[in-house]
Amino acid sequence: MYWTETIQVVIQCLTKILTGPVTDYTSSMVPWMRHRQPRYKGGARMEFERPSASYIVDILPPPATPGNPADAIPAKLLHSSLNKLKHPINIVRWTPEGRRLLTGSSIGEFTLWNGMGFNFETISQAHDSAVRAATWSHSEDWLISADQDGIVKYWQPTFNNVKAIQAHNDPIRDLAFSPNDSKFVTACDDATLKIFDFAGGTEESTLTGHGWDAKSVDWHPTKGLLVSGSKDHQVKLWDPRTGRCLTTLHGHKNTISRTKFEPKKGQLLATSARDQTARVFDLRMMRDICLLRGNEKDVSTLTWHPIHSSLLSTGGADGSIYHYLLDEPNTPPGQATSIPPYDSAEPSSAPAQTIYPAHKVQYAHEYAVWSIDWHPLGHILASGSNDRVTRFWTRARPGETDCFNDKHHIGEEAAAAYGTLDKRNSRRMMHENDEQELEDEAEGLQDQKMPVKQPVLPGIPGLSMPVNGTSSGPSPQRFANLSNIPPPPNFTNGPPPSLPNGITGIDPERLRQMIESGTLPPPPPQFGAPGQVAPPPLPPNFDFSKLPPGVLPPGFPPPAGLQLPPPGNFGGLPGMGADGAAAGGSIRRRGPLPSQQELARNLRDGNYR
């Protein structure tokens, strides 16, 4: 029996892996680690990939091709994950080892998704309000998150909350760790930045200088340098030791949405704003060198690739995701090609080079993309949106071309005309995915369910109320030393007879003598028994028809002409039979619910209220 259950579990796991989308990076990492050589010897001597399905086995991970960032552009949708409780996704963060993806929702929930099978793993109520920011420490030992109420919480890798501090009284929009993880900084809607000691959770300094809400902050990966973006259209660089503003970078014409240092070398700074542009600044020149255009709506977020420092991805307010290669302008036809400031005669005064996206996923989400994050290996990009969906993207395999003409690239109508959108199969697959997500969520929540709280007898802790004559409390064997106690009297035929007046407070010895001598008066007879006592007369004008059934005592004759319904008859209630059950002919039944087609038709005709 044990082996049968084990085999069934293994079969279920294999079925999920084989039928669902799975990305296993070991198939590309192992060949690269096997054939790679030191860089001074020319690197790995492997055959170049070609656009053919036979080269799928030769796919290399992004660390194997540091000089070819175009191979890491995620153009293919892997999976769309949706919670049972659907709420906007404000943040997405990969765990440091890349096994899971953490998402934070607008109701304060943390959700963990599997990083290879993309199925649901667990969910927890992390905050009482919307999660606005989260970041991992460089040591990968701590996670801090901030919410709409200005509270910062400390989390261990097991997602055990160990501390919570009230950092601000307004919503916290962003936070970042220092290079040695001893401090962290927060950006708040109160237009201030605050630096905290991580170990003690105490505030060390407050940075003031922005004229409006501070929307973003980041700490340089190796230096004591802070950058912040605000609603006042300004990007400021700060010295965290003195709290002094070092310089202010101008260029954007609307609210700054994100500021990020390049994580590998730390020489570049990327900013995005609601003016439909993103800019890249060179910290050595203290000026912008690249102007990223192409977005049709506001740029809501951006992120750097963890391996390729020239690959930058942005998320737009219209649900689009654009990927830029900083060393390739990708100028569209009809536009003048610009040169980088480094190649001009006057680098300090030359205009910034205009970069257009190398790849567009125009319809990645239905609504604004709030957060995007790369897998630590750089082969999967995760995105969270206001449409309540978390999506996973990766590069197209050699020979795949249909992914460039799906509904996320050209829209549903164009994809249907092109033949890459099968609505019938897409609905079926969506239904299967929903069922699989519900099954995974039920399995993930099975261990988190609290035991059902049963009613307990008052005054007796641990002993539950009997259900159907049985009790789930302690068994009688636990009270073996009380077996000599006589059982209580049985009153199954009726309540115990009451003692006559004057007998209640009598001495027990005298009561025994009265019982033995026969001088104890007998109790009064009950109604219905031989020799019963007649009840007192009723008023002459009493209306017997107002008496509910069962009020008259047993054996009491009703007046002549009074028709009382038999006990248990609910004939006066419409739809109820004599036994209290619903009668078939008179009860009001609920009509069938309308179908999805009828709802869509009523909504289209304006009949829906």
Side-chain angles (χ1 to χ4, degrees), residues 301-380:
T301 185
L302 59 80
T303 186
W304 292 92
H305 193 272
I307 307 298
H308 304 292
S309 58
S310 61
L311 178 56
L312 187 66
S313 303
T314 64
D318 57 351
S320 61
I321 297 178
Y322 289 180
H323 306 285
Y324 295 87
L325 296 176
L326 301 185
D327 51 1
E328 296 182 10
N330 295 297
T331 306
Q335 298 286 342
T337 302
S338 59
I339 61 174
Y342 307 114
D343 299 336
S344 62
E346 294 291 338
S348 59
S349 59
Q353 184 184 19
T354 303
I355 305 293
Y356 291 90
H359 185 77
K360 298 180 180 180
V361 187
Q362 190 64 43
Y363 306 97
H365 288 272
E366 297 180 4
Y367 299 104
V369 179
W370 293 133
S371 180
I372 53 178
D373 193 33
W374 280 99
H375 190 278
L377 284 179
H379 68 297
I380 298 178

Side-chain angles (χ1 to χ4, degrees), residues 426-466:
S426 63
R427 290 196 190 99
R428 178 181 57 81
M429 294 178 61
M430 186 180 300
H431 181 67
E432 293 178 356
N433 290 336
D434 291 342
E435 291 182 348
Q436 185 65 38
E437 294 293 346
L438 292 176
E439 181 181 352
D440 294 337
E441 188 166 355
E443 293 177 356
L445 295 178
Q446 184 175 6
D447 297 335
Q448 303 181 19
K449 291 182 179 179
M450 297 296 293
V452 181
K453 202 170 186 179
Q454 298 182 356
V456 180
L457 287 173
I460 309 179
L463 186 59
S464 59
M465 293 288 289

Side-chain angles (χ1 to χ4, degrees), residues 515-599:
I515 294 175
E516 293 177 355
S517 60
T519 58
L520 182 67
Q526 300 180 3
F527 293 144
Q532 66 180 5
V533 180
L538 295 174
N541 298 328
F542 185 77
D543 189 3
F544 289 92
S545 62
K546 295 182 179 180
L547 289 176
V551 171
L552 293 177
F556 185 82
L562 178 62
Q563 299 293 333
L564 292 178
N569 187 9
F570 297 89
L573 298 178
M576 302 300 292
D579 56 350
S586 58
I587 189 172
R588 295 179 59 187
R589 299 183 180 275
R590 178 181 294 179
L593 294 174
S595 62
Q596 296 294 330
Q597 291 78 8
E598 294 179 1
L599 290 176

Side-chain angles (χ1 to χ4, degrees), residues 382-588:
S383 60
S385 169
N386 202 43
D387 60 3
R388 307 167 296 183
V389 180
T390 302
R391 289 200 165 105
F392 299 85
W393 310 84
T394 189
R395 58 160 292 185
R397 297 183 297 180
E400 286 185 342
T401 57
D402 290 342
C403 62
F404 300 99
N405 296 307
D406 60 1
K407 66 176 182 179
H408 300 290
H409 286 79
I410 61 178
E412 289 192 2
E413 296 181 359
Y418 191 82
T420 56
L421 177 65
D422 189 351
K423 294 185 177 180
R424 180 179 302 176
N425 289 336
S426 63
R427 290 196 190 99
R428 178 181 57 81
M429 294 178 61
M430 186 180 300
H431 181 67
E432 293 178 356
N433 290 336
D434 291 342
E435 291 182 348
Q436 185 65 38
E437 294 293 346
L438 292 176
E439 181 181 352
D440 294 337
E441 188 166 355
E443 293 177 356
L445 295 178
Q446 184 175 6
D447 297 335
Q448 303 181 19
K449 291 182 179 179
M450 297 296 293
V452 181
K453 202 170 186 179
Q454 298 182 356
V456 180
L457 287 173
I460 309 179
L463 186 59
S464 59
M465 293 288 289
V467 179
N468 297 328
T470 62
S471 174
S472 59
S475 59
Q477 285 76 7
R478 295 179 57 185
F479 305 99
N481 56 342
L482 303 180
S483 58
N484 55 350
I485 299 179
N490 187 10
F491 301 112
T492 56
N493 298 328
S498 58
L499 296 176
N501 295 333
I503 305 299
T504 305
I506 195 171
D507 182 57
E509 184 64 24
R510 183 184 175 189
L511 179 61
R512 186 182 61 81
Q513 296 176 0
M514 293 177 64
I515 294 175
E516 293 177 355
S517 60
T519 58
L520 182 67
Q526 300 180 3
F527 293 144
Q532 66 180 5
V533 180
L538 295 174
N541 298 328
F542 185 77
D543 189 3
F544 289 92
S545 62
K546 295 182 179 180
L547 289 176
V551 171
L552 293 177
F556 185 82
L562 178 62
Q563 299 293 333
L564 292 178
N569 187 9
F570 297 89
L573 298 178
M576 302 300 292
D579 56 350
S586 58
I587 189 172
R588 295 179 59 187

Side-chain angles (χ1 to χ4, degrees), residues 263-282:
K264 287 184 65 66
K265 300 179 180 179
Q267 297 176 355
L268 301 180
L269 166 67
T271 63
S272 62
R274 295 181 182 175
D275 56 3
Q276 305 178 11
T277 64
R279 292 179 181 267
V280 178
F281 294 84
D282 192 333

